Amino acid sequence: MHDPEKCLSKVEIFKTLPHEIKEKLVSTSKHQQHYHAGSLIKRADEDSGLIVIDQGKAKVFSLDEDGNEVVLNILKMGEIEGEGELFGENKTNTWIEALEETAVCSIDRNKFQNFLQDNPGVAIKLLNNFGEKIVQIQRHEVLKSAFSAKERIWEYLKDQSIARGQKEIILTLKKKDLAAYLGISAETFSRQLKVLEKEGRLRVKGRKIELKKRAFN
């Protein structure tokens, strides 16, 4: 059975809230909306409020002026999208697509704003999280504009290794989705990964990648 309170507790900004406040937060939310791989969770200009990934993975993307997909973020379990929509009526031009069987929970903007009047501390946490995400997006844009394909892959893997606190990481995304996120083709991703391995910076074992300690020096 799905537990709405436990679901919201997966989200970092809600995790430490007292039980009684989480109960109030549950009243602003919908739960266990299921989407198949490849289906759209959110369309551009659609008012969806805050989306929480309860199970699965999803990608956030926009379309450039030529209609090409630009991947902005990859969402995993417990991660959120749409913080800005909780504070204003301006709709975004981003889309969200399920990358595998995915279940999402969502929080209604109007109900949430009423909730914040009695719980202003949650608003501060949410804004801090929003700021961290902006920094992450800026870092991603730097990777795409200032680095070669090979170095984009390397910097991404280093970031993942540091975030997890271990040298070995597992690629949980399909190659084509990760390549799209880095702004390169799947073929280029595979080719440059082999180059990095030949350079001794990493070792590839299936979906596992071990980063060599000396490569950080």
Side-chain angles (χ1 to χ4, degrees):
M1 294 291 292
H2 180 76
D3 185 327
E5 186 174 324
K6 285 184 179 179
C7 170
L8 295 177
S9 295
K10 294 177 185 176
V11 181
E12 191 65 33
I13 60 174
F14 301 144
K15 189 178 295 183
T16 58
L17 294 178
H19 168 69
E20 61 272 15
I21 294 182
K22 287 181 184 176
E23 282 188 323
K24 295 177 182 177
L25 186 60
V26 165
S27 67
T28 71
S29 58
K30 296 179 181 178
H31 290 263
Q32 287 282 285
Q33 299 160 287
H34 291 271
Y35 297 87
H36 296 299
S39 60
L40 289 174
I41 297 171
K42 174 189 176 296
R43 297 175 182 274
D45 297 326
E46 185 176 77
D47 187 3
S48 58
L50 180 73
I51 289 176
V52 181
I53 303 298
D54 181 45
Q55 297 172 13
K57 297 184 184 70
K59 65 179 176 182
V60 183
F61 67 95
S62 63
L63 300 177
D64 64 20
E65 58 185 14
D66 297 320
N68 298 312
E69 185 178 297
V70 179
V71 180
L72 303 173
N73 198 9
I74 302 294
L75 303 174
K76 301 179 288 294
M77 185 179 73
E79 294 187 332
I80 60 177
E81 180 67 25
E83 301 97 314
E85 294 184 27
L86 292 178
F87 294 97
E89 296 184 2
N90 294 329
K91 298 175 182 178
T92 67
N93 65 344
T94 58
W95 306 63
I96 303 178
E97 178 185 319
L99 294 174
E100 58 188 40
E101 293 297 311
T102 300
V104 305
C105 304
S106 58
I107 295 178
D108 180 79
R109 184 181 69 85
N110 292 328
K111 291 180 180 179
F112 188 73
Q113 287 194 341
N114 290 332
F115 165 81
L116 287 182
Q117 291 180 12
D118 298 321
N119 303 278
V122 178
I124 295 174
K125 285 188 174 185
L126 194 60
L127 288 171
N128 286 338
N129 180 270
F130 197 28
E132 290 172 3
K133 184 169 288 187
I134 290 173
V135 171
Q136 182 184 24
I137 291 173
Q138 289 175 334
R139 164 69 171 160
H140 178 54
E141 289 304 310
V142 168
L143 279 179
K144 291 173 67 174
S145 61
F147 290 94
S148 65
K150 182 180 71 174
E151 295 307 320
R152 289 182 211 177
I153 298 169
W154 175 242
E155 292 297 322
Y156 171 82
L157 294 174
K158 276 177 58 179
D159 287 347
Q160 295 299 306
S161 176
I162 292 170
R164 289 163 173 73
Q166 54 190 32
K167 290 191 295 179
E168 187 175 88
I169 60 176
I170 299 175
L171 296 181
T172 57
L173 293 173
K174 291 181 180 178
K175 196 176 296 182
K176 67 179 181 64
D177 293 318
L178 181 51
Y181 177 64
L182 295 173
I184 58 180
S185 68
E187 293 77 12
T188 298
F189 180 86
S190 297
R191 186 167 58 252
Q192 295 302 322
L193 198 62
K194 291 179 181 177
V195 172
L196 287 167
E197 187 170 29
K198 287 181 180 179
E199 291 177 352
R201 294 204 238 177
L202 51 80
R203 177 185 299 163
V204 180
K205 297 179 288 185
R207 299 188 70 84
K208 292 182 180 179
I209 297 180
E210 180 186 359
L211 275 65
K212 299 297 185 179
K213 185 177 180 180
R214 64 184 177 83
F216 287 92
N217 298 333

